[in-house]
Amino acid sequence: MARRIDVTGAGGVRLAAWEFVDPPKKVPETVEPPDPAPPDPTPPDPAPGTAGPGVLLLHGLMGRASHWAATARWLSERHRAVALDQRGHGQSDKPPPAAYTREAYVEDAEAALEQLGLAPAVLIGHAMGALTAWQLAARRPDLVCGLVICDMRASALGAASQREWADWFRSWPAPFATLADVRKWFGEDDPWVERPNPARGAFYAEVMHESADGWRPVFEPEEMLRTRESWVHDAHWEELAQVRCPALVLRGLDGELGRAEAQEMVRVLPLGEYAEVADAGHLVHYDQPLAWRGAVEPFLERVLLG
């Protein structure tokens, strides 16, 4: 199960963090359950013994915390696992357009670590979330004891890439009549899909909500483009070289991060390691969850448990 904890991010933006915990123990039948306590309007302090180190999970562009549910379930067996809905995503606030800066995303993750008592934590980031993770690790090494960088490039992607994304958003046949239509379009009909990919369809179905005229994304595409604009033109090798904690660079063989660039990232990182997952694309943790766990778990055990 997951419980929501509100976090205050940069500029006062309200962020939804989701802590994944074991289900509560069943109350014995011979004991009357206590009356429910009145709701506490303030976020609860971590329970004794659950303060960091832990794991903070950061989704990619257009993602949401729930995309980490399968990963968080096995993480929570041994570690404190929290996934963050980043600004403009999931159930976090959608601030004004000017608030979608690279700095704001990094400050949000910093605030989450401090307010949740997770530090020093391992940050697991997918795509844009991975960039946020290594930029925070470079900036605040006291808060981060390890990194998992999943399918995110350190090189600049450029203006042509941004134009392709803008064209792609315009190609969406939104609103979708049903969630089945969402799954089919993103898993089969989307021109960016080379072969049918049910996991991709399921991924995008999770970021849709029902409106009066059909199913639409919970985010605003214009805000996603603005977010991407804040980092797509820049290379990020300098911050990568400043990361001092152990870092695992992980890619899907059919993902967006090529092997040569991934291995160069490992070389630049002072304590870099490399892993790849076969038969996986950009959504590694969705495409191949068992292989993803097999690649990530040994690294986490070394970092968090020694």
Side-chain angles (χ1 to χ4, degrees):
M1 60 180 295
R3 65 167 181 147
R4 173 174 171 160
I5 305 174
D6 283 350
V7 172
T8 302
V13 171
R14 182 192 54 81
L15 305 170
W18 302 90
E19 181 166 10
F20 292 79
V21 295
D22 291 333
K25 300 294 187 292
K26 183 178 179 181
V27 178
E29 293 181 357
T30 56
V31 178
E32 287 294 324
D35 292 333
D40 186 347
T42 60
D45 293 329
T50 64
V55 181
L56 182 66
L57 299 139
L58 298 171
H59 61 73
L61 189 71
M62 300 182 292
R64 65 185 307 169
S66 63
H67 284 142
W68 291 114
T71 296
R73 276 194 285 271
W74 59 260
L75 279 173
S76 64
E77 295 172 3
R78 304 192 69 181
H79 312 291
R80 188 172 174 221
V82 179
L84 184 67
D85 274 336
Q86 297 177 76
R87 60 177 53 214
H89 297 75
Q91 294 189 29
S92 289
D93 282 350
K94 280 61 174 179
Y100 293 94
T101 66
R102 185 92 294 272
E103 182 75 8
Y105 279 94
V106 176
E107 289 180 359
D108 287 347
E110 181 180 6
L113 288 179
E114 293 180 329
Q115 293 172 38
L116 295 168
L118 279 173
V122 170
L123 304 184
I124 299 179
H126 174 244
M128 180 194 72
L131 175 60
T132 298
W134 86 61
Q135 289 181 328
L136 178 55
R139 169 176 166 167
R140 290 292 306 274
D142 57 310
L143 297 181
V144 184
C145 65
L147 285 177
V148 176
I149 297 168
C150 179
D151 215 59
M152 179 61 191
R153 300 179 61 183
S155 58
L157 302 182
S161 171
Q162 188 71 351
R163 288 193 296 271
E164 289 174 0
W165 272 71
D167 291 342
W168 177 60
F169 276 126
R170 284 192 290 268
S171 76
W172 290 17
F176 296 88
T178 68
L179 279 180
D181 292 328
V182 173
R183 296 187 186 96
K184 185 176 186 301
W185 195 83
F186 287 101
E188 300 177 24
D189 300 337
D190 183 349
W192 282 18
V193 176
E194 295 182 358
R195 59 181 182 272
N197 186 341
R200 189 174 187 270
F203 180 94
Y204 283 98
E206 279 198 56
V207 297
M208 297 289 164
H209 70 113
E210 191 171 16
S211 58
D213 58 353
W215 292 84
R216 295 182 177 274
V218 297
F219 51 79
E220 293 295 333
E222 294 79 8
E223 292 170 355
M224 299 299 99
L225 284 172
R226 189 177 297 271
T227 291
R228 198 172 186 272
E229 184 77 25
S230 72
W231 53 262
V232 73
H233 301 289
D234 301 317
H236 307 283
W237 296 96
E238 183 176 349
E239 298 111 318
L240 203 66
Q242 294 170 6
V243 173
R244 298 299 168 187
C245 62
L248 176 67
V249 178
L250 189 151
R251 60 181 288 269
L253 286 187
D254 298 320
E256 297 177 8
L257 175 62
R259 179 179 285 135
E261 183 171 352
Q263 292 177 342
E264 179 63 11
M265 290 169 67
V266 171
R267 188 193 68 78
V268 168
L269 285 159
L271 297 174
E273 302 179 29
Y274 175 77
E276 59 185 28
V277 175
D279 299 319
H282 180 58
L283 306 175
V284 182
H285 53 302
Y286 242 67
D287 285 347
Q288 297 292 339
L290 293 180
W292 156 261
R293 178 176 181 174
V296 171
E297 193 168 29
F299 173 81
L300 292 178
E301 297 302 295
R302 292 196 305 274
V303 173
L304 287 174
L305 301 178

